[in-house]
Amino acid sequence: MTAFETIVVERPEPRIARIVMNRPEARNAQNLQMTYDLNAAFDHAVQDDAVKVIILAGNGPHFSAGHDLRPGGKNVAGVDFPPVGNWGGFAEPNAHGRFAREQEIYLQITRRWRNLAKPTIAEVHGKCIAGGLMLAWACDLIVASQDAEFCDPVVTMGVCGVEWFVHPWELGPRKAKELLFTADVWNAEEAHRLGMVNHVVPRGDLSSFVLRLAERIAAKPSFALKLTKEAVNRSVDVMGQPAAIEHAFALHQLCHAHNLQEFGMVVDPAGLHPSVRKPTPATQDK
């Protein structure tokens, strides 16, 4: 089995792959290494005909604290890792290079995960913030522990929400507006009430519940599962979700351009954690 720097791949039973984000010291914040580790693990699970269901989980106290904005050893899209998207232009200056980078690592790669040919389940506990929401929302089902909390605070950074902008689809338009405008946290029960989460279970039962759910799904025929997922995803696409995401992504880039003129960095520093408040290559590439 392939070894990864930032994730662990488990096979709790032959038909189920469990991909575990393993940066507990960083609260599973997603750096570029994790992005491409996850992508490779997802691809491997899809190509393994024995695997019928994929679980995404997180090690440590939280599912994911979002995108890791701190400087890292490998942080250059298209250079440190082979690109998987079709945009290019990573080395271009100014908005061109920034747009290319975010197309690759936030928009196109999340779309790839959302369209994986096999059922996926997000196993969410603790905090699920910003980029963590994108990971959970890319999955077909979400099971949350009772202590799970969700938040997209990106408006406080002067940007109109995370790049995979499916808030109106996941929360409904009015609640999406409220939770974006206020950057408030919503808990697992509220997420369940809004239809974003399939099940809420005690923290100690989370992994076993998800595994039992995965086993029930894995008992169904592989081809029927794939085509059922395709049917539902294409139904949502016909409703206009891809066009809405692309439009919101363009507005996201406009926010970056405005902040760069206003503050000399692509986000409003007032909304950043002190550890990343100074302009750095990492924050310039948000």
Side-chain angles (χ1 to χ4, degrees):
M1 187 174 294
T2 303
F4 296 98
E5 289 186 33
T6 64
I7 65 174
V8 175
V9 180
E10 303 170 348
R11 291 291 285 271
E13 69 120 292
R15 300 173 301 176
I16 298 168
R18 187 170 184 267
I19 300 171
V20 184
M21 294 178 284
N22 193 35
R23 299 186 74 215
E25 74 290 345
R27 302 301 186 255
N28 292 323
Q30 183 184 340
N31 60 6
L32 216 56
Q33 182 71 54
M34 181 181 281
T35 298
Y36 287 95
D37 282 352
L38 285 169
N39 192 64
F42 282 136
D43 280 355
H44 185 271
V46 167
Q47 296 304 322
D48 185 342
D49 290 341
V51 172
K52 298 176 75 173
V53 181
I54 304 166
I55 297 169
L56 176 63
N59 184 26
H62 302 294
F63 177 75
S64 176
H67 295 137
D68 195 337
L69 303 182
R70 298 170 298 179
K74 297 179 182 178
N75 201 43
V76 183
V79 174
D80 292 323
F81 302 90
V84 298
N86 56 11
W87 189 263
F90 302 108
E92 295 289 342
N94 304 318
H96 188 165
R98 183 169 60 252
F99 191 95
R101 183 181 195 271
E102 295 204 354
Q103 272 276 348
E104 164 79 9
I105 67 172
Y106 297 143
L107 187 61
Q108 295 197 37
I109 212 161
T110 306
R111 182 180 291 118
R112 290 189 84 244
W113 300 343
R114 182 261 196 180
N115 288 322
L116 294 173
K118 297 180 179 180
T120 55
I121 306 173
E123 179 184 313
V124 179
H125 71 284
K127 306 290 186 185
C128 181
I129 302 172
L133 282 170
M134 292 170 56
L135 291 168
W137 285 342
C139 294
D140 299 308
L141 307 179
I142 302 175
V143 179
S145 61
Q146 290 172 336
D147 69 336
E149 293 184 336
F150 306 88
C151 183
D152 183 356
V154 175
V155 171
T156 64
M157 294 183 259
V159 182
C160 56
V162 293
E163 294 85 355
W164 185 249
F165 194 89
V166 292
H167 308 64
W169 306 86
E170 296 285 351
L171 305 168
R174 283 195 170 79
K175 203 64 181 180
K177 290 175 185 177
E178 177 188 342
L179 293 171
L180 283 164
F181 293 164
T182 62
D184 282 349
V185 172
W186 65 100
N187 62 25
E189 291 296 341
E190 177 76 348
H192 184 260
R193 187 185 69 80
L194 294 169
M196 188 192 104
V197 163
N198 296 83
H199 301 277
V200 179
V201 299
R203 173 72 173 266
D205 298 337
L206 179 62
S207 294
S208 60
F209 183 96
V210 171
L211 182 57
R212 289 195 303 272
L213 178 60
E215 288 171 340
R216 288 168 55 202
I217 296 169
K220 308 302 186 292
S222 295
F223 195 42
L225 289 172
K226 290 180 179 180
L227 293 186
T228 300
K229 175 170 180 172
E230 182 76 4
V232 175
N233 279 4
R234 295 296 82 78
S235 296
V236 176
D237 291 347
V238 169
M239 295 176 195
Q241 189 188 76
I245 293 172
E246 291 286 351
H247 183 72
F249 183 76
L251 297 177
H252 184 101
Q253 300 305 314
L254 177 60
C255 289
H256 282 331
H258 169 77
N259 290 327
L260 191 60
Q261 286 189 312
E262 186 78 8
F263 305 109
M265 56 194 305
V266 297
V267 296
D268 183 339
L272 287 174
H273 188 275
S275 65
V276 292
R277 192 163 288 164
K278 294 180 180 179
T280 66
T283 56
Q284 289 295 321
D285 283 339
K286 166 64 181 72

